[in-house]
Amino acid sequence: MCELYSKQDTLELRRKHIGPSCKVFFAEDPIKIVQAQRQYMFDERGDRYLDCINNVAHVGHCHPEVVKAAVKQMELLNTNSRFLHDNIVEYARRLVATLPEELSVCYFTNSGSEANDLALRLARQFRDHQDVITLDHAYHGHLSSLIEISPYKFRKGKDVKKAFVHVAPTPDTYRGKYREDHADPASAYADEVKEIIKEAHNNGRKIAAFIAESMQSCGGQIIPPAGYFQKVAEYVHRAGGVFIADEVQVGFGRVGKHFWSFQMHGEDFVPDIVTMGKPMGNGHPMACVVTTKEIAEAFSSSGMEYFNTYGGNPVSSAVGLAVLNIIENEDLQGNAIRVGDYLTKLLNKQKAKHTLIGEIRGIGLFIGIDLVKDRQKRTPATEEAQHIIYKMKEKRVLLSADGPHRNVLKIKPPMCFTEEDAKFMVDQLDEILTVLEEGIGAQSESVISENAPCRAKMPNEAHSLEWLDDGTLDPRENPSRKRNGLCTDKHSLLSKKLKT
């Protein structure tokens, strides 16, 4: 494997020249990746890892058709979109063909953050309203305008929510305010939005937009109950606002049955603005905002030109076209259905076997495993989740954990993921859960002291967690610092059982 520096030298140079807030996966023992193909990544020693988390390499790492398209166009021309070129209009034509007819106007950008920032500008210009309703635990990008509407990034006790931001409860029917036993959770959660709008109006404020991922990713792989988006859209439209569907992480056929995740909510639901990014270029930086002609014309009427130097450039558009072709030619939506269904069945069998698994949720190749200390109380198994992702890494499987309690294992692999990959991943997870449950006595109620105000180390690992004054884990700790450690008392079986 080709590398400029040894792993240690790379780490030292990174510490010296890369900002300290730019974290790496598995900080205590980071992986140095030097090559990737399809759903596999390789370190500097040539060890192969199964990639279960990279929804950016949508059609597979270094897909030859994507590489070929980029090189071919790069040899001819790359320039900005102020010059006429066929690629941008052909890509726009192909892209809007996958969307409802109303969504017909494109603005190209380079990242999902840029796309969501522009979506807010479009929404606010439309009727000159300013306020935004967002969901709790949401993340929409790293720009200042988006951090303001991303509760996932709010720092506990340090960030003051802006007056124009309104946070609605996440429509989570497993751990949220209204659960699966509620008669109509969709209406109940939508009514929360309705009340937010009412209160905003009473305070003289006007709603510009409601923004939500079609399936919440950083929030813990949450799928809203059927009918929720329709009701929310009704209330938001009535208030003069628009509905922004953030498809940056979940679009381009990941759910299998539909090209866009919002489409699984029914043909009677059409967002006013859709944003997209990550998988769009299979690792090449490109993103887009698609909206209606009416909203686009209102944006243009401001008199301010919109120009993005690299957005929609000929190379990016060629790459985007290659990705669309591969999704269709390799039947990756069909693969998402087949492999996703198979993987979900395997995981549900593990749920029946392992009490640490509280819920399996997802659709297609977007699946979450909600880990719990106690199924009745649904107590998040945060430390255990972090332990598992490190142990999976040792078995050459890359997983991540997320959600407000960092206890949800996220599965969102490249779309070429196979049934054999699914079986291998689940087999490794089974082995780790078996050892872990033996170690912590997961069958009993006296599992791990949840209130021990300490920092402890897992065998072979020393990953710090943030603890609040009352000794409980801070559920809003920055995900880049979510390294695991189990706090146990002297009676715990953990140290006896998990030595490796």
Side-chain angles (χ1 to χ4, degrees):
M1 297 293 176
C2 181
E3 52 178 335
L4 291 175
Y5 306 104
S6 68
K7 181 176 178 179
Q8 188 57 41
D9 287 345
T10 301
L11 277 169
E12 290 177 3
L13 285 167
R14 185 180 177 101
R15 293 188 188 108
K16 183 178 181 180
H17 298 300
I18 305 301
S21 58
C22 301
K23 305 297 183 179
V24 296
F25 283 132
F26 310 107
E28 294 300 318
D29 183 25
I31 307 171
K32 184 176 182 180
I33 296 297
V34 299
Q35 187 176 352
Q37 286 291 331
R38 294 179 64 79
Q39 65 271 44
Y40 305 110
M41 305 183 83
F42 301 86
D43 67 15
E44 79 282 4
R45 297 185 302 267
D47 291 334
R48 189 180 83 171
Y49 293 82
L50 177 62
D51 183 359
C52 300
I53 59 176
N54 208 321
N55 59 331
V56 177
H58 192 63
V59 300
H61 291 280
C62 303
H63 194 292
E65 292 301 315
V66 175
V67 174
K68 179 181 176 181
V71 171
K72 182 179 179 181
Q73 182 57 51
M74 206 174 293
E75 289 177 338
L76 290 173
L77 170 73
N78 200 24
T79 187
N80 66 62
S81 58
R82 278 187 167 138
F83 294 100
L84 278 178
H85 197 276
D86 289 343
N87 284 9
I88 187 173
V89 294
E90 174 61 6
Y91 185 71
R93 184 188 70 82
R94 290 278 302 279
L95 187 65
V96 299
T98 67
L99 290 156
E101 185 178 357
E102 300 94 319
L103 297 165
S104 60
V105 182
C106 300
Y107 296 88
F108 291 103
T109 67
N110 308 290
S111 71
S113 291
E114 282 188 49
N116 281 331
D117 177 77
L118 178 57
L120 292 182
R121 288 177 60 191
L122 289 168
R124 285 169 168 155
Q125 176 66 29
F126 184 48
R127 289 202 173 94
D128 200 25
H129 296 181
Q130 291 299 312
D131 287 25
V132 177
I133 302 174
T134 187
L135 293 178
D136 202 6
H137 315 310
Y139 174 65
H140 294 290
H142 64 81
L143 300 181
S144 296
S145 63
L146 304 173
I147 294 296
E148 291 174 344
I149 64 165
S150 295
Y152 178 82
K153 286 290 187 179
F154 290 176
R155 296 168 299 170
K156 189 78 170 180
K158 295 182 179 180
D159 286 325
V160 178
K161 182 176 68 64
K162 301 294 192 297
F164 61 80
V165 178
H166 311 275
V167 180
T170 302
D172 178 0
T173 58
Y174 180 69
R175 186 172 275 107
K177 186 175 181 179
Y178 308 108
R179 301 187 175 184
E180 71 275 7
D181 57 353
H182 191 280
D184 188 359
S187 294
Y189 279 116
D191 285 345
E192 296 277 346
V193 176
K194 184 178 181 181
E195 284 302 308
I196 286 173
I197 294 172
K198 180 180 178 181
E199 183 177 353
H201 286 175
N202 289 341
N203 291 326
R205 309 198 67 90
K206 296 180 179 180
I207 302 300
F210 172 91
I211 184 170
E213 289 182 280
S214 302
M215 300 187 295
Q216 202 173 51
S217 181
C218 291
Q221 313 295 87
I222 304 300
I223 300 177
Y228 171 72
F229 278 166
Q230 284 92 332
K231 288 180 171 60
V232 168
E234 177 187 343
Y235 301 147
V236 171
H237 288 156
R238 194 182 300 167
V242 301
F243 193 112
I244 302 172
D246 181 342
E247 292 267 341
V248 170
Q249 295 217 50
V250 297
F252 290 88
R254 179 157 295 276
V255 297
K257 294 179 181 178
H258 304 282
F259 201 83
W260 303 103
S261 295
F262 74 79
Q263 292 171 320
M264 69 182 183
H265 295 281
E267 293 184 0
D268 59 335
F269 171 65
V270 178
D272 303 291
I273 301 173
V274 177
T275 59
M276 55 198 75
K278 294 184 188 298
M280 193 172 181
N282 205 56
H284 181 90
M286 62 183 302
C288 187
V289 179
V290 185
T291 189
T292 65
K293 185 177 181 181
E294 182 183 12
I295 292 174
E297 288 178 346
F299 187 57
S300 179
S301 70
S302 69
M304 182 185 295
E305 177 189 7
Y306 175 76
F307 172 64
N308 188 307
T309 302
Y310 299 110
N313 69 72
V315 172
S316 293
S317 298
V319 167
L321 284 166
V323 170
L324 292 180
N325 290 338
I326 294 164
I327 293 171
E328 181 178 351
N329 295 339
E330 297 185 7
D331 188 27
L332 293 184
Q333 282 185 252
N335 190 65
I337 295 171
R338 292 185 295 272
V339 178
D341 288 350
Y342 176 70
L343 177 54
T344 300
K345 288 177 183 177
L346 293 179
L347 290 172
N348 277 315
K349 288 181 181 178
Q350 294 300 309
K351 178 185 174 184
K353 180 178 179 181
H354 298 290
T355 57
L356 272 169
I357 298 178
E359 183 180 50
I360 305 297
R361 55 178 175 262
I363 182 170
L365 286 174
F366 182 86
I367 299 171
I369 306 172
D370 198 310
L371 299 178
V372 296
K373 297 175 184 287
D374 183 301
R375 281 188 176 177
Q376 291 297 113
K377 297 178 181 178
R378 303 185 182 185
T379 312
T382 301
E383 302 93 330
E384 292 84 348
Q386 305 308 315
H387 173 70
I388 287 168
I389 63 174
Y390 273 87
K391 288 300 180 183
M392 288 292 278
K393 187 201 75 165
E394 291 176 10
K395 292 178 176 290
R396 305 292 184 262
V397 178
L398 303 181
L399 278 178
S400 65
D402 221 327
H405 306 286
R406 312 291 184 256
N407 70 305
V408 180
L409 301 182
K410 298 170 67 174
I411 304 171
K412 46 186 182 65
M415 295 276 282
C416 51
F417 204 70
T418 67
E419 290 187 359
E420 290 75 18
D421 296 324
K423 179 69 163 57
F424 178 76
M425 188 213 79
V426 173
D427 285 347
Q428 309 315 304
L429 181 62
D430 181 22
E431 290 181 15
I432 293 168
L433 286 171
T434 299
V435 173
L436 183 57
E437 288 179 341
E438 289 175 356
I440 63 177
Q443 299 293 338
S444 67
E445 293 183 2
S446 57
V447 195
I448 300 170
S449 174
E450 296 179 17
N451 297 313
C454 63
R455 295 180 185 272
K457 296 179 181 180
M458 287 294 292
N460 299 328
E461 298 156 7
H463 315 297
S464 63
L465 290 167
E466 291 297 316
W467 298 86
L468 300 176
D469 292 340
D470 64 358
T472 58
L473 183 71
D474 184 353
R476 295 182 182 271
E477 169 58 8
N478 190 308
S480 64
R481 298 183 60 193
K482 59 187 181 185
R483 306 311 175 200
N484 63 309
L486 285 174
C487 288
T488 63
D489 59 31
K490 63 183 179 180
H491 302 295
S492 175
L493 295 174
L494 183 68
S495 61
K496 298 179 182 178
K497 296 291 186 179
L498 291 188
K499 293 187 183 297
T500 56

